Amino acid sequence: MGNCNSCSSKGKCSDNSECAGLVPKYGKIKHIIGVISGKGGVGKSTVTGILAVQLKKLGYKVGVLDGDITGPSMPRFFGINDKRSEIKQVGESENVKFTPVETSKGIKVMSLNLLTEEEEAPVIWRGPVITGVLKQMYSDTEWGELDYLLIDMPPGTGDIALTIMQEVPLEGMIIVSTPQEMVSMIVKKVVIMAQKMKIGLIGVVENMSYVTCGKCGEKVRVFSKKSAEEQAGYLGLPLLAEMPIDLDLVENMENGNVEDYISKCENYEAFLDNFKSKVGI
């Protein structure tokens, strides 16, 4: 499942063994998918959450790792920001394991905001510390048996993205963009990085593609006259979905009903169908 070419343990494991890279200590995960962009504010967390809910709707066991350590948002997305992860000591050692918080639909979530006393508390750490914490959250969380772990990655091509691509057995990554050409240029950097790291790219989701007129139902493109297909062509990736600016989604997030809304909303069914066809499920 993993990507041996980018693995830091390449050459240290046999052809018939499990990958010697970073693995969870307390569970077994079948498929790991990263969600990334070159720029912040494009909706990576939203896309991660939508895919998690849709996969859970199909009956899969799903977990979400909030890899954006300095800007974690998955607890707020799922409405579990008032809950906290339990930290357990392992035997008589100094090792610990984290218990993920489960959403109303049973999605297991681990985020730094579930480990801090206040969700507004800033993370003022340098890169090596942030990377170390991320690796611990991945490997020391009590994931149990998961069919899919989705990693909401921080924007850009920095330390955390590099660590995940090198040390986590990613099955593939989803790229998130918005219609502006400047954003597409920055997102292209992540695409090229993943290609250099030999990471498989499942496709691109264009978020905030349009708004739907409440009177006539016409799709109005706010940020660019170019189609989502044109933007995907520039990135050299298949288009998984073009998602609208959805105020109902925002309202349901604020009311804590986001999972029910996504499960019933037709806007996100095409995304799931295209994802299934790309990964073979």
Side-chain angles (χ1 to χ4, degrees):
M1 184 181 87
N3 179 7
C4 294
N5 289 324
S6 64
C7 180
S8 61
S9 298
K10 181 181 179 182
K12 300 177 184 178
C13 57
S14 68
D15 292 339
N16 298 319
S17 70
E18 292 293 329
C19 175
L22 198 62
V23 294
K25 299 176 183 176
Y26 310 109
K28 186 175 181 181
I29 302 170
K30 293 180 181 179
H31 309 285
I32 303 176
I33 306 293
V35 182
I36 192 171
S37 181
K39 197 175 188 303
V42 299
K44 290 181 292 74
S45 300
T46 299
V47 171
T48 302
I50 289 170
L51 182 58
V53 174
Q54 293 282 17
L55 288 171
K56 185 65 179 178
K57 181 181 174 181
L58 292 178
Y60 292 110
K61 298 175 183 177
V62 182
V64 173
L65 174 61
D66 196 343
D68 195 348
I69 302 298
T70 59
S73 54
M74 294 313 307
R76 175 73 63 157
F77 178 90
F78 284 111
I80 56 173
N81 47 298
D82 60 339
K83 300 182 180 181
R84 290 296 176 268
S85 170
E86 183 181 354
I87 303 175
K88 302 176 182 178
Q89 185 174 348
V90 181
E92 298 181 357
S93 68
E94 295 182 357
N95 297 327
V96 298
K97 63 180 175 180
F98 308 117
T99 302
V101 174
E102 293 195 18
T103 70
S104 61
K105 298 291 187 183
I107 298 169
K108 295 181 178 180
V109 181
M110 175 48 60
S111 170
L112 190 66
N113 265 12
L114 298 174
L115 297 170
T116 58
E117 292 185 6
E118 300 178 0
E119 69 169 348
E120 296 90 354
V123 173
I124 310 174
W125 296 337
R126 295 192 182 275
V129 177
I130 293 175
T131 301
V133 169
L134 172 70
K135 291 166 69 172
Q136 186 176 15
M137 286 168 52
Y138 167 73
S139 61
D140 293 356
T141 294
E142 200 170 8
W143 295 113
E145 300 284 329
L146 291 182
D147 295 306
Y148 284 92
L149 177 67
L150 307 181
I151 303 180
D152 179 26
M153 298 171 63
T157 57
D159 287 352
I160 292 183
L162 185 61
T163 296
I164 293 174
M165 290 184 193
Q166 286 185 323
E167 301 192 38
V168 175
L170 291 171
E171 185 161 311
M173 291 202 309
I174 294 172
I175 305 295
V176 182
S177 186
T178 54
Q180 304 98 314
E181 286 193 7
M182 181 176 292
V183 174
S184 297
M185 177 273 294
I186 298 172
V187 171
K188 183 80 170 183
K189 295 177 182 290
V190 170
V191 172
I192 294 172
M193 175 188 184
Q195 291 169 342
K196 289 181 178 292
M197 300 295 295
K198 310 295 184 184
I199 303 294
L201 295 175
I202 299 169
V204 60
V205 173
E206 183 178 272
N207 195 29
M208 296 181 272
S209 289
Y210 60 90
V211 293
T212 303
C213 177
K215 293 184 178 180
C216 67
E218 180 185 359
K219 292 182 179 180
V220 180
R221 298 194 177 276
V222 180
F223 298 115
S224 175
K225 293 182 179 180
K226 287 188 176 180
S227 67
E229 288 80 5
E230 287 178 282
Q231 300 285 11
Y234 168 73
L235 296 175
L237 298 174
L239 179 66
L240 295 177
E242 53 175 341
M243 293 187 179
I245 297 173
D246 189 349
L247 295 182
D248 290 331
L249 175 66
V250 176
E251 183 179 16
N252 279 276
M253 284 173 56
E254 293 171 348
N255 295 336
N257 300 319
V258 70
E259 290 176 276
D260 286 331
Y261 176 77
I262 293 171
S263 296
K264 299 173 183 177
C265 185
E266 296 180 358
N267 284 336
Y268 308 118
E269 291 180 356
F271 173 33
L272 178 63
D273 289 342
N274 288 332
F275 174 81
K276 287 165 58 179
S277 67
K278 296 300 180 185
V279 299
I281 62 173

